[in-house]
């Protein structure tokens, strides 16, 4: 057990497996104590049949939260031990079902006596314990159902890696990264258009000199994300958020979110009241990101891009 103290909470799964192994080993010996030839892994399916009667494999699997192949294997083992009968015709006659045999029902009665003693033994442990394991397991099951351990680890990984992202202002040395990152995603889904080449080949002239901004996301000092704030000559909008691109190898580090938030902050510094953007609904992660940042869909504005099929705005004064 000292190894778990050294490893810490990340060994939770291993520790639970060890505890499960100990209890399963005891369970086998308890069946022997009561003179019952029975495998502990059969119990959930066997108990369900003893309480509810005949069931299909699918119904058993659903009820006990096992896979169908797992239940099929367990049922075959119980059939070999003559505890269940398989492929019985139900009253429906269209369903093949599993049910206990006479031997199985006799075993069920013996197990009921055994279960009474086990309940009292477990209750004794719970009374001695500082923490109620039964309630804790139920709570953990609920929490993991809401969000899996994998999802929680992914979030922590993203949070840690996002701390290594640095957002900096554009410099001429980033021009190639600004162009190549945008060319990569545009060419992957669509085709480069005239308006793309103007902005990407001459960002100083077409964006910066006209009052816009370009931000670069550095990860370990490598430019892996870019985004531009383009000045608009429009009665409704001050700037367009455009040319956002993140390298595929940097996805999962919140770079898009960090760039978008930094662009919004830049716009506020420039006293902007509304931002505008154009995109395409095929880019689902990007669209979801824009909604998360507060953008709302609008319609009816002209666009120079063939690929644009959604337009959005962000009211900075809300």
């Amino acid at each position: 057990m000292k190894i778990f103290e050294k490893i810490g909470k990340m060994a939770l799964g291993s520790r639970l497996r060890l505890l499960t192994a100990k209890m399963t080993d005891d369970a086998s010996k308890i069946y022997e104590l009561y003179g019952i030839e029975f495998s502990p892994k059969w119990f959930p399916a066997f108990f369900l049949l003893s309480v509810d009667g005949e069931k299909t494999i699918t119904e058993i699997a659903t009820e006990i939260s096992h896979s169908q192949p797992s239940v099929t294997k367990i049922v075959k083992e119980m059939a070999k031990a003559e505890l269940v009968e398989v492929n019985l015709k139900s009253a429906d006659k269209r369903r093949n079902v599993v049910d206990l045999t006479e031997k199985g029902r006799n075993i069920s009665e013996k197990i009921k006596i055994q279960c009474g003693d086990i309940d009292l033994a477990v209750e004794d442990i719970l009374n001695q314990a500082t923490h109620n394991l039964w309630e804790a397991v139920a709570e953990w099951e609920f929490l993991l159902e809401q969000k899996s351990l994998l999802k929680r680890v992914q979030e922590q990984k993203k949070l840690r890696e996002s701390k290594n992202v640095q957002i900096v202002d554009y410099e001429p040395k980033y021009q190639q990264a600004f162009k190549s990152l945008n060319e990569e995603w545009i060419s992957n889904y669509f085709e480069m258009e005239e308006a793309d080449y103007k902005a990407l080949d001459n960002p100083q002239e077409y964006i910066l000199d006209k009052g816009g901004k370009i931000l670069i996301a550095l990860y370990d000092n490598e430019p892996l994300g870019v985004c531009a704030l383009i000045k608009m000559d429009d009665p409704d909008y001050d700037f367009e958020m455009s040319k956002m691109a993140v390298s595929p190898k940097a996805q999962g580090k919140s770079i898009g979110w960090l760039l978008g938030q930094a662009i919004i902050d830049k716009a506020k510094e420039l006293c902007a009241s509304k931002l505008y953007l154009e995109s395409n609904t095929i880019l689902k992660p990007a669209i979801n990101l824009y909604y998360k940042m507060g953008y709302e869909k609008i319609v009816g504005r002209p666009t120079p891009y063939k690929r644009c099929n959604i337009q959005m705005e962000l009211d900075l004064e809300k």
Side-chain angles (χ1 to χ4, degrees):
M1 297 298 288
K2 290 183 179 179
I3 185 65
F4 295 131
E5 294 176 9
K6 293 180 180 179
I7 298 174
K9 294 180 179 67
M10 66 174 292
L12 178 63
S14 298
R15 192 165 187 174
L16 287 174
R17 280 193 293 273
L18 180 59
L19 179 61
T20 300
K22 286 182 177 180
M23 296 188 71
T24 301
D25 183 54
D26 271 353
S28 296
K29 293 174 181 176
I30 291 170
Y31 284 118
E32 291 177 10
L33 178 65
Y34 287 80
I36 301 172
E37 293 184 14
F38 197 88
S39 172
K41 67 179 178 180
W42 298 347
F43 184 73
F46 183 85
F47 178 82
L48 185 65
L49 293 171
S50 68
V51 172
D52 291 353
E54 63 181 35
K55 294 279 186 182
T56 66
I57 295 290
T58 301
E59 288 170 339
I60 296 172
T62 300
E63 289 277 352
I64 68 174
S65 299
H66 280 213
S67 67
Q68 283 194 230
S70 172
V71 172
T72 299
K73 183 179 180 182
I74 288 171
V75 167
K76 285 182 179 178
E77 291 176 0
M78 289 195 295
K80 188 175 181 181
E82 300 180 346
L83 300 181
V84 300
E85 293 180 277
V86 188
N87 295 329
L88 296 171
K89 293 295 182 181
S90 67
D92 187 326
K93 297 198 179 196
R94 292 173 296 178
R95 306 190 317 157
N96 290 325
V97 299
V98 181
D99 201 359
L100 296 184
T101 61
E102 186 63 31
K103 178 180 177 181
R105 283 186 280 274
N106 291 333
I107 292 292
S108 176
E109 291 303 315
K110 291 183 179 180
I111 288 179
K112 285 180 183 177
I113 298 172
Q114 171 185 315
C115 284
D117 292 345
I118 293 173
D119 280 344
L120 292 172
V122 171
E123 187 65 33
D124 182 52
I125 295 174
L126 292 175
N127 290 334
Q128 293 180 43
T130 303
H131 306 288
N132 189 310
L133 180 61
W134 183 259
E135 293 179 359
V137 168
E139 186 175 20
W140 272 71
E141 287 172 341
F142 172 79
L143 292 172
L144 292 175
E145 184 68 25
Q146 305 308 303
K147 187 187 294 184
S148 71
L149 179 59
L150 172 61
K151 178 66 176 176
R152 293 168 190 268
V153 172
Q154 288 173 332
E155 290 178 351
Q156 292 301 319
K157 180 175 182 288
K158 181 183 289 189
L159 180 62
R160 173 178 53 79
E161 293 180 339
S162 68
K163 292 178 181 177
N164 294 326
V165 177
Q166 183 182 9
I167 308 296
V168 300
D169 289 325
Y170 175 87
E171 295 180 36
K173 65 181 179 179
Y174 298 127
Q175 194 274 326
Q176 183 55 45
F178 181 61
K179 180 178 180 179
S180 61
L181 286 171
N182 271 283
E183 279 185 330
E184 183 176 16
W185 80 261
I186 294 172
S187 300
N188 189 38
Y189 291 98
F190 311 101
E191 61 181 26
M192 292 285 288
E193 300 181 40
E194 183 181 353
D196 293 314
Y197 287 113
K198 285 182 179 179
L200 296 178
D201 288 334
N202 304 285
Q204 185 68 45
E205 177 184 353
Y206 282 91
I207 299 177
L208 300 176
D209 291 347
K210 293 180 180 180
K213 296 286 184 181
I214 299 174
L215 296 181
I216 310 296
L218 303 178
Y219 185 76
D220 290 339
N221 293 317
E222 181 182 0
L224 295 180
V226 296
C227 190
L229 195 62
I230 300 176
K231 181 68 176 174
M232 295 180 71
D233 182 15
D234 187 280
D236 298 318
Y237 302 103
D238 303 294
F239 293 93
E240 175 185 0
M241 188 179 85
S242 181
K243 300 295 178 281
M244 178 183 279
V246 177
S247 171
K249 67 180 181 180
Q251 290 177 359
K253 296 176 174 56
S254 299
I255 288 180
W257 170 260
L258 294 172
L259 275 171
Q261 292 302 113
I263 281 289
I264 290 172
D265 291 341
K266 283 288 184 185
K268 289 179 178 178
E269 289 175 13
L270 297 170
C271 300
S273 58
K274 269 190 178 182
L275 297 185
Y276 171 78
L277 69 78
E278 298 181 336
S279 190
N280 190 291
T281 50
I282 196 175
L283 307 171
K284 291 182 180 179
I287 301 301
N288 290 336
L289 175 64
Y290 302 147
Y291 278 121
K292 185 179 178 181
M293 289 192 293
Y295 281 87
E296 297 178 352
K297 181 181 177 181
I298 59 170
V299 295
R301 293 186 59 84
T303 172
Y305 293 103
K306 296 177 184 177
R307 63 178 177 265
C308 172
N309 72 353
I310 184 171
Q311 300 166 313
M312 308 179 80
E313 68 175 20
L314 176 63
D315 189 341
L316 299 177
E317 297 182 339
K318 280 187 178 180

